[in-house]
Amino acid sequence: MIVSTYAPILLALGVLGGSVGHGGHCSTENDHLDMFTHKFMSDCTDSAFCTAPNGTCEARNCRRDEYPFGYSVDTSLPPLCAHGSFCPDEGDGCRVLVPLGGPCQLERDEQCSEPENWMELASPYNANGSICIQSTCMYANATLGQTCVTDNTTYVELGPDGNPYTIVVSRDNCRTPYFYCDATQGVCSRSLPWGSPCSADRECEQHNCVTGICADSPETPLRVPAWQCALTILSILGAMAATCIFLTIVHKRQRFEQYTELRDYYYEQMSYRNDIIALHAAAADKITREKGAHAPR
């Protein structure tokens, strides 16, 4: 970590590009990589490059990213380079791939031509088996015990607390992910398996060293043991069965309560009916007796 007094410099140099627009005066002598982020910088804005020897900012002729920085939504983008060519950091135009041993720009592996056996050497840590180490195109084909070359690049970024932190990216020309370059011996060593002690990500087969131990990479799918799958299935089936039994019991209880309510209502209505019939019978009997008492004899 570097001291926090560099934070204003980081914000000023690591984020903002040049300020000279299209058609403005510039000098290619000012082209450089930012000391903190290693981003290509020039006098021109991010959508232009400085021509030589005219010293004029002109619109970029190519781009390396699908969505490049420095363009508005309604601005037409420069084209991507075709297969077999690349767009340099300057963006002045597509160039032919650099052969083995030729110069390349910082960590621009895609600028290097691919080897004949690129399918065997290709990995997420190189471009079709080629890699740019110390600004030189190499093949990532060094194996166990062979001499290797290491390239360490230090980046600086702001942390959550506002202080800058350093990140060191180490790369080598060993065949990844099977080998890595042992910096102390200068030869390729076999990558460490999961659970082995480590000091850097590149030492592990998974390329992920967590608290000194080789761990699975973050994108590795979670492998669930068979007994956990069986236990989960049994738990789900048990929960479904318990739910069905509970709902059945609740339904039966509701039906029983409804049946009891209807039965009580039926008995009550029958009682009312019998009382009314008895009342009518008593009244009719009384009327009959009264008529018989007043009848002439």
Side-chain angles (χ1 to χ4, degrees), residues 5 10-11 17 21 35 50 53 56 61 85 113 118 127 165 173 175 202 213 221 226 233 239 268 275 282:
T5 53
L10 175 63
L11 292 175
M35 61 181 299
C50 186
T56 304
N61 297 322
S85 60
S113 59
W118 67 270
Y165 294 86
N173 63 328
R175 185 176 178 181
R202 63 189 182 91
I213 300 296
I233 294 174
E268 184 178 2
D275 291 342

Side-chain angles (χ1 to χ4, degrees), residues 85-102:
S85 60
F86 69 93
C87 183
D89 291 340
E90 296 83 357
D92 54 354
C94 296
R95 303 178 186 177
V96 180
L97 294 179
V98 180
L100 179 66

Side-chain angles (χ1 to χ4, degrees), residues 47-235:
S47 61
F49 72 98
C50 186
T51 60
N54 299 332
T56 304
C57 289
E58 295 184 1
R60 294 198 172 194
N61 297 322
C62 62
R63 73 181 194 273
R64 58 173 295 196
D65 299 320
E66 187 71 25
Y67 303 100
F69 182 78
Y71 292 86
S72 59
V73 178
D74 55 349
T75 303
S76 59
L77 302 177
L80 294 169
C81 294
H83 180 72
S85 60
F86 69 93
C87 183
D89 291 340
E90 296 83 357
D92 54 354
C94 296
R95 303 178 186 177
V96 180
L97 294 179
V98 180
L100 179 66
C104 54
Q105 294 174 323
L106 180 65
E107 295 191 0
R108 292 292 305 275
D109 299 342
E110 75 279 6
Q111 294 184 356
C112 304
S113 59
E114 59 192 34
E116 295 182 357
N117 60 337
W118 67 270
M119 296 186 65
E120 300 177 4
L121 303 178
S123 76
Y125 313 109
N126 57 55
N128 293 332
S130 301
I131 190 169
C132 183
I133 299 293
Q134 297 181 1
S135 300
T136 303
C137 285
M138 300 181 181
Y139 293 155
N141 59 354
T143 57
L144 185 64
Q146 293 183 345
T147 303
C148 55
V149 182
T150 303
D151 190 5
N152 297 321
T153 306
T154 302
Y155 295 87
V156 181
E157 66 176 17
L158 291 178
D161 55 358
N163 293 323
Y165 294 86
T166 59
I167 299 177
V168 179
V169 178
S170 299
R171 310 170 76 237
D172 55 68
N173 63 328
C174 294
R175 185 176 178 181
T176 54
Y178 310 106
F179 308 98
Y180 74 95
C181 186
D182 189 341
T184 58
Q185 301 180 10
V187 296
C188 292
S189 299
R190 192 174 301 278
S191 298
L192 303 176
W194 183 88
S196 302
C198 57
S199 58
D201 291 338
R202 63 189 182 91
E203 298 178 0
C204 304
E205 293 178 351
Q206 297 81 8
H207 221 73
N208 188 32
C209 181
V210 180
T211 62
I213 300 296
C214 288
D216 289 330
S217 56
E219 68 275 9
T220 301
L222 179 62
R223 297 179 178 86
V224 181
W227 68 270
Q228 291 186 2
C229 294
L231 182 60
T232 302
I233 294 174
L234 292 177
S235 300

